[in-house]
Amino acid sequence: MATFKEFRNNVKPNWCPGCGDFSVQAAIQRAAANVGLEPENLAVISGIGCSGRISGYINSYGFHGIHGRSLPIAQGVKMANRDLTVLASGGDGDGFAIGMGHTIHAIRRNIDITYIVMDNQIYGLTKGQTSPRSAAGFKTKSTPQGSIEQAISPMEMALTAGATFVAQSFSTDLKDLTALIEAGINHKGFSLINVFSPCVTYNKVNTYDWFKENLTKLSTVEGYDPNNRELAMQTLMRHNGLVTGLIYQNTERQSYQELVHGYSETPLSQADLQLDQAHFDKLVAEFM
Amino acid sequence: MINQLSWKVGGQQGEGIESTGEIFSIALNRLGYYLYGYRHFSSRIKGGHTNNKIRVSTTEVRSISDDLDILVAFDQETIDLNYKELHSHGVIMADSKFDPKQPADTQAAMYAVPFTEIATQLGTSLMKNMVAIGATSAVLDLDITVFVEVVQEIFGRKGQQVVDKNMEAIKAGFDYMKDQLGAGVETMQLEKADGNKRLFMIGNDAIALGAIAGGCRFMAAYPITPASEIMEYLIKKLPALGGTVIQTEDEIAACTMAIGANYAGVRTITASAGPGLSLKMEAIGLSGITETPLVIVDTQRGGPSTGLPTKQEQSDLMAMIYGTHGEIPKIVLAPSTVEEAFYDTAEAFNLAEEYQCPVIVLSDLQLSLGKQTVEPLDFSKVEIRRGKLVQGEVPATENGAYFKRYEVTADGVSPRVIPGMKNGIHHVTGVEHDETGKPSESAANRIAQMDKRFRKVENIRFNTPVYKNAPHEDADVLIVGFNSTRGAIEEAMLRLQNDGLKVNHAQIRLIHPFPTDEVLPLVRSAKKVVVVENNATGQLANIMKMNVGHAEKIVKHVKYDGNPFLPHEVYTKVKELF
Ligand SMILES: Cc1ncc(C[n+]2csc(CCOP(=O)(O)OP(=O)(O)O)c2C)c(N)n1
Ligand code: SF4
Ligand SMILES: [Mg+2]
């Protein structure tokens, strides 16, 4: 069984010192080892952004695609090989701006992959413009007067879209984050984990200290029950979305793979591509 | 006796015009006739004029005919819009219900036939289409028992009573018209067909079937005219092979999902028309730089934007060759018949894996939706070749280094592994990268990787890059086309040859990389080159000028009114030059 060190490669991340994404990388490596994966059985698919580089920093199969499209690529990979563990990942702009359509539909489709968003409330790679996660009033290079748009609430959005696994974490809580990623991987269906991952270079508002001050751990909320969707929604609203932990999980709904009619039990990538003549003749006969 | 007939049925959309044509043609196909059906329809579900023009012949046909023998009209609009196509011995059979008026300037005979009235007497006016089939059969002197089997298949699930009623309606139409024949209606007796069994299908059926035969097991797509039939067919047939189709949220998702599945080792297709292809462009570039196999079908329709969504056009050519930012190797195929659509789609999966690049199978509305008789498909011609996909175990690399997925090789193609393979770990990125896939901005590496990627497609092996019918060493004219214009060109060629002209014909099947070596000699040996295409700017003609030169000989013959070329339009253009 591989240790977390075997999920490290020799590539030095080009992230700024102190960037929250380092801890997300470490958490993924630990979680992968903890659930008993071998590097070749993990595929990390990422979008474009500082965060999107993560697939290049993990010793596993990795695919760094195009901006906002990590989810459809990841779903394609999983459909092709149901035995692989597939992680999609990227930034808040990647997942909640340009890729928002895919995020909502990946949630409803419920293919068994885990999506980790590194949410820094800003566009890092393009050097500091507003993101759909930036709070109203937030001043950036593209909103010099302060953002006048409402920030998206991804966790509430996920619940309304029919998510079966919704979690949120903070990059410095390495232990909690690792455990949530493990739970996400083990969940049968689509799991969304939004991680507050501070951008130390361009976001001077939502800093490590700011999160420490404003986040509430769900484990400290009395009577919290992650199987109760209504309670999850209420709690999110009460805390303005600033909670960490497992927010909601539905273990009853079957994943897409389990519901697809006729879908191969073994990885489709191993299917014999040669059709037999009798099968072909049967198909052709329908056109006579 | 006639050996060819052109029959058209028209009315309002949603009135069953389509199924009338369908029943008529399936039955005749089974008798061994060659059929070619083209549907005129609008972008709405109910209402609006629609017609189905069907050509019946004892020899192969691949084009709509210039004129018309029989017009079955369920409303006056059908007569007014179509009577000009009727030749002087033509016949209009119009539903007496709408009190049809015969246009003054036609020599065609008109008969008001009580289609609706007879159908209503038998139970429901819905069967007026059946009455019309019966009446047509009388004019053609066809034995109506040929319809028994088809009616049974189509209405069988609604119960025996419905089947019987529909047959009764056909018979009533037949009897009514037979009576009229005595009163002077000329019959058009069709020569007997050879009775051979052939397929009857649309191009999209052939594309979908070709995909299955070619090992495709997954599709990601978003519905659009005229491509949807491909996904609708595959979702019915792939589950039996363990595969499936996902209808995605948009074409960007469809294309990137297809890339993900291909990357992970499953032959995957996506199909769309112009608007969807526009959305897929960034992803096509990703497939190019990551060297991920990808098969995309583009069923061209009238553009730009929503354009003429239900009409014929061939205006995506340049976009399919060049339409992504940056430069990537790419293969664009353009089958010109339904048979070729089958073989080329199957082959596209081999090319995509052998050259590790996007392969676009270009079709057009006429080819995708025109329903025609097809000679039996030879499954033994379909091969599965997976190029440099590593089979079996991957040898361990030194010190666990990343696998050289982008190794610079002589032919430019690198060994390919898929996720799950031990010792195959490497990185994939749309960022320029080194041999192991790690991002690299080094100038030397950039050149090495760009050159390697383009080297792959320098010597494409594709069985028939150009369909040629070139009997003359020194031709008066070379006619060139791609996709569905083939039928009209072939017919025009026959007529031009009868007039004593020396005509060669080339239908380009490998659009990109352009088969210059094959086309240049044909251009050289012709006095004039007429390039026939359904677009306004003459895109293929321009591509020819770019690749083979001889601009002085090249004459554009374009049509962009939404309708397919008719043989006489090609004929007339060439005649004007001589
Ligand atoms: C289609 C497209 N549009 C724009 C860009 C430029 N771009 C790259 S990353 C990015 C946003 C990055 O923000 P986020 O997704 O939050 O990631 P972060 O860098 O903050 O981790 C943008 C706009 C692009 N690469 N592709
Ligand atoms: S710019 Fe921000 S998000 Fe990007 S690497 Fe630096 S700290 Fe991280
Ligand atoms: Mg961001």
Side-chain angles (χ1 to χ4, degrees):
Chain A
M1 220 169 64
T3 65
F4 74 90
K5 286 186 182 148
E6 285 165 65
F7 289 91
R8 288 183 181 160
N9 62 14
N10 58 1
V11 183
K12 190 175 168 296
N14 62 1
W15 293 318
C16 309
C19 176
D21 296 351
F22 284 101
S23 311
V24 180
Q25 175 199 1
I28 291 175
Q29 289 162 332
R30 279 157 201 266
N34 291 351
V35 298
L37 285 175
E38 294 300 328
E40 65 269 18
N41 295 328
L42 172 66
V44 180
I45 317 299
S46 61
I48 303 297
C50 294
S51 46
R53 286 290 182 120
I54 198 160
S55 59
Y57 305 149
I58 293 168
N59 188 46
S60 71
Y61 279 91
F63 196 116
H64 178 226
I66 44 181
H67 192 27
R69 320 299 170 197
S70 69
L71 282 174
I73 297 174
Q75 291 170 85
V77 172
K78 185 69 183 185
M79 289 306 292
N81 188 342
R82 62 190 303 170
D83 285 357
L84 287 175
T85 294
V86 180
L87 301 186
S89 55
D92 45 326
D94 204 72
F96 303 138
I98 192 165
M100 182 55 124
H102 307 311
T103 302
I104 290 181
H105 291 280
I107 290 170
R108 342 177 358 243
R109 199 170 284 130
N110 202 33
I111 290 181
D112 188 8
I113 62 175
T114 298
Y115 183 34
I116 300 165
V117 181
M118 284 155 268
D119 180 1
N120 54 11
Q121 297 82 26
I122 191 107
Y123 281 15
L125 190 69
T126 45
K127 301 190 185 338
Q129 300 84 6
T130 187
S131 118
R133 289 286 295 133
S134 304
F138 187 53
K139 285 191 181 164
T140 69
K141 284 186 187 158
S142 59
T143 52
Q145 310 295 322
S147 172
I148 51 175
E149 293 174 23
Q150 185 62 37
I152 271 169
S153 310
M155 302 290 93
E156 290 166 41
M157 187 269 308
L159 287 178
T160 46
T164 56
F165 185 106
V166 185
Q168 194 157 252
S169 192
F170 179 29
S171 65
T172 53
D173 295 343
L174 191 57
K175 231 180 99 201
D176 289 359
L177 176 56
T178 305
L180 283 174
I181 295 174
E182 284 171 41
I185 291 174
N186 289 328
H187 175 72
K188 289 205 174 1
F190 185 80
S191 41
L192 170 64
I193 304 170
N194 191 57
V195 187
F196 295 115
S197 178
C199 169
V200 293
T201 306
Y202 295 110
N203 191 335
K204 305 293 183 194
V205 176
N206 308 104
T207 59
Y208 285 99
D209 286 343
W210 186 89
F211 281 112
K212 268 180 209 134
E213 221 161 278
N214 288 285
L215 288 176
T216 302
K217 285 195 180 195
L218 287 173
S219 53
T220 65
V221 175
E222 221 188 276
Y224 192 74
D225 172 10
N227 297 316
N228 184 337
R229 188 157 168 255
E230 207 179 318
L231 183 63
M233 196 60 123
Q234 274 177 11
T235 310
L236 282 168
M237 290 170 111
R238 191 169 308 139
H239 292 86
N240 204 17
L242 293 169
V243 298
T244 57
L246 176 60
I247 295 169
Y248 178 70
Q249 184 171 18
N250 176 339
T251 50
E252 266 145 47
R253 200 176 131 202
Q254 287 178 294
S255 75
Y256 191 88
Q257 272 86 1
E258 293 165 284
L259 295 170
V260 182
H261 166 63
Y263 187 52
S264 173
E265 300 277 337
T266 52
L268 201 47
S269 58
Q270 290 164 13
D272 180 8
L273 300 189
Q274 192 64 52
L275 201 65
D276 61 70
Q277 180 77 44
H279 194 132
F280 182 74
D281 291 343
K282 208 178 92 201
L283 293 174
V284 163
E286 291 174 15
F287 295 104
M288 289 197 191
Chain B
M1 283 282 227
I2 52 172
N3 63 4
Q4 259 208 41
L5 168 93
S6 187
W7 181 81
K8 186 183 264 191
V9 54
Q12 291 292 301
Q13 258 173 209
E15 272 193 329
I17 302 301
E18 206 180 325
S19 56
T20 316
E22 185 87 359
I23 292 170
F24 181 67
S25 1
I26 293 177
L28 288 175
N29 187 65
R30 286 187 188 169
L31 291 178
Y33 289 102
Y34 287 88
L35 286 112
Y36 187 91
Y38 186 75
R39 213 153 60 80
H40 168 103
F41 64 112
S42 319
S43 198
R44 56 195 272 194
I45 305 303
K46 297 252 182 213
H49 174 68
T50 181
N51 70 58
N52 200 343
K53 187 171 180 178
I54 293 162
R55 197 165 174 196
V56 187
S57 171
T58 51
T59 53
E60 228 169 356
V61 275
R62 286 207 189 89
S63 160
I64 303 167
S65 59
D66 290 318
D67 53 17
L68 194 58
D69 297 291
I70 299 175
L71 176 63
V72 174
F74 285 106
D75 56 15
Q76 187 65 37
E77 195 183 358
T78 297
I79 299 178
D80 297 344
L81 286 174
N82 300 289
Y83 78 93
K84 289 226 161 88
E85 287 176 32
L86 284 158
H87 59 67
S88 52
H89 308 295
V91 173
I92 304 173
M93 284 190 282
D95 197 345
S96 60
K97 182 183 171 214
F98 66 88
D99 197 10
K101 281 161 216 59
Q102 182 166 20
D105 58 341
T106 179
Q107 286 177 287
M110 191 183 85
Y111 295 89
V113 186
F115 296 138
T116 303
E117 198 185 309
I118 294 175
T120 311
Q121 278 166 8
L122 288 172
T124 163
S125 64
L126 289 175
M127 294 188 305
K128 64 186 179 186
N129 300 303
M130 298 298 141
V131 180
I133 287 177
T136 301
S137 305
V139 177
L140 300 181
D141 203 16
L142 272 181
D143 180 353
I144 57 166
T145 55
V146 308
F147 295 106
V148 173
E149 201 178 69
V150 186
V151 167
Q152 182 71 45
E153 283 164 28
I154 292 186
F155 297 104
R157 63 191 162 82
K158 295 188 181 166
Q160 194 54 41
Q161 209 194 343
V162 177
V163 173
D164 294 344
K165 280 280 174 209
N166 276 281
M167 270 320 293
E168 242 177 85
I170 291 179
K171 182 162 189 318
F174 182 87
D175 291 344
Y176 177 90
M177 210 56 203
K178 264 277 182 264
D179 280 351
Q180 299 288 305
L181 293 180
V185 179
E186 271 186 65
T187 69
M188 305 180 187
Q189 216 181 356
L190 258 181
E191 222 173 77
K192 280 254 173 317
D194 62 13
N196 284 348
K197 284 254 180 288
R198 296 186 188 87
L199 311 179
F200 184 51
M201 65 206 304
I202 60 173
N204 282 347
D205 293 330
I207 289 171
L209 191 62
I212 291 187
C216 171
R217 295 296 175 263
F218 181 49
M219 178 180 200
Y222 190 80
I224 190 166
T225 302
S228 300
E229 292 78 10
I230 302 170
M231 70 186 290
E232 288 163 6
Y233 181 80
L234 289 178
I235 191 58
K236 277 189 276 181
K237 302 302 177 192
L238 283 180
L241 294 158
T244 192
V245 175
I246 291 187
Q247 178 177 326
T248 52
E249 52 275 23
D250 59 29
E251 288 88 347
I252 298 176
C255 200
T256 46
M257 196 179 281
I259 288 173
N262 274 302
Y263 157 69
V266 171
R267 289 191 163 190
T268 303
I269 198 169
T270 183
S272 189
L277 263 294
S278 291
L279 291 181
K280 290 175 194 221
M281 285 302 166
E282 190 191 13
I284 290 172
L286 178 70
S287 153
I289 192 169
T290 61
E291 307 196 40
T292 308
L294 177 65
V295 175
I296 308 161
V297 179
D298 175 24
T299 59
Q300 301 170 90
R301 64 184 212 183
S305 188
T306 307
L308 292 171
T310 61
K311 300 282 181 284
Q312 162 69 1
E313 204 165 274
Q314 303 180 310
S315 54
D316 296 353
L317 201 57
M318 288 294 187
M320 290 311 106
I321 299 173
Y322 298 112
T324 189
H325 61 282
E327 298 164 298
I328 56 162
K330 194 196 270 174
I331 297 170
V332 183
L333 306 177
S336 62
T337 62
V338 172
E339 288 90 336
E340 288 176 9
F342 168 78
Y343 296 114
D344 290 3
T345 308
E347 182 64 5
F349 289 92
N350 291 330
L351 298 178
E353 286 204 287
E354 285 179 325
Y355 299 99
Q356 302 179 7
C357 72
V359 179
I360 295 179
V361 179
L362 196 61
S363 176
D364 57 29
L365 185 135
Q366 187 185 355
L367 177 61
S368 274
L369 299 186
K371 195 157 184 173
Q372 53 188 295
T373 301
V374 174
E375 296 293 349
L377 298 169
D378 184 357
F379 182 53
S380 69
K381 278 199 203 159
V382 176
E383 307 176 310
I384 307 279
R385 304 187 311 269
R386 307 204 66 181
K388 291 196 192 172
L389 177 67
V390 175
Q391 306 287 345
E393 289 197 359
V394 186
T397 52
E398 241 174 86
N399 302 324
Y402 269 22
F403 179 85
K404 285 195 182 171
R405 168 71 184 91
Y406 302 105
E407 188 180 342
V408 176
T409 57
D411 63 1
V413 183
S414 319
R416 182 169 150 249
V417 289
I418 55 173
M421 287 185 176
K422 199 170 160 61
N423 301 324
I425 287 179
H426 61 276
H427 192 49
V428 177
T429 172
V431 173
E432 189 57 274
H433 42 261
D434 66 15
E435 289 186 309
T436 64
K438 289 178 186 161
S440 164
E441 290 182 348
S442 124
N445 176 75
R446 164 70 170 180
I447 294 168
Q449 287 293 322
M450 280 294 269
D451 289 352
K452 153 204 169 0
R453 287 194 290 267
F454 280 102
R455 217 155 45 233
K456 295 190 294 186
V457 292
E458 265 166 21
N459 297 300
I460 289 266
R461 289 177 309 276
F462 180 63
N463 52 18
T464 319
V466 183
Y467 161 80
K468 278 180 275 194
N469 179 8
H472 306 287
E473 277 178 22
D474 57 327
D476 294 314
V477 64
L478 167 70
I479 309 180
V480 183
F482 70 104
N483 281 149
S484 67
T485 53
R486 172 146 157 197
I489 294 174
E490 281 175 338
E491 285 185 38
M493 180 168 170
L494 284 179
R495 287 183 223 173
L496 291 162
Q497 279 172 330
N498 280 340
D499 290 357
L501 274 179
K502 288 193 274 182
V503 186
N504 282 343
H505 172 201
Q507 202 75 5
I508 313 293
R509 286 177 59 184
L510 175 63
I511 298 273
H512 188 79
F514 193 81
T516 304
D517 292 350
E518 298 250 347
V519 180
L520 185 57
L522 294 173
V523 171
R524 275 210 192 106
S525 63
K527 290 195 188 77
K528 287 272 174 217
V529 177
V530 175
V531 185
V532 177
E533 50 190 320
N534 275 127
N535 58 57
T537 53
Q539 299 185 23
L540 181 62
N542 290 337
I543 290 168
M544 299 244 318
K545 288 179 192 171
M546 210 166 86
N547 287 286
V548 301
H550 290 287
E552 77 288 352
K553 289 185 185 178
I554 294 178
V555 178
K556 292 179 179 176
H557 186 24
V558 297
K559 181 175 181 182
Y560 45 92
D561 65 357
N563 296 305
F565 273 100
L566 296 173
H568 83 88
E569 292 168 335
V570 178
Y571 171 84
T572 311
K573 180 75 180 184
V574 175
K575 285 299 265 189
E576 278 168 14
L577 300 173
F578 290 93

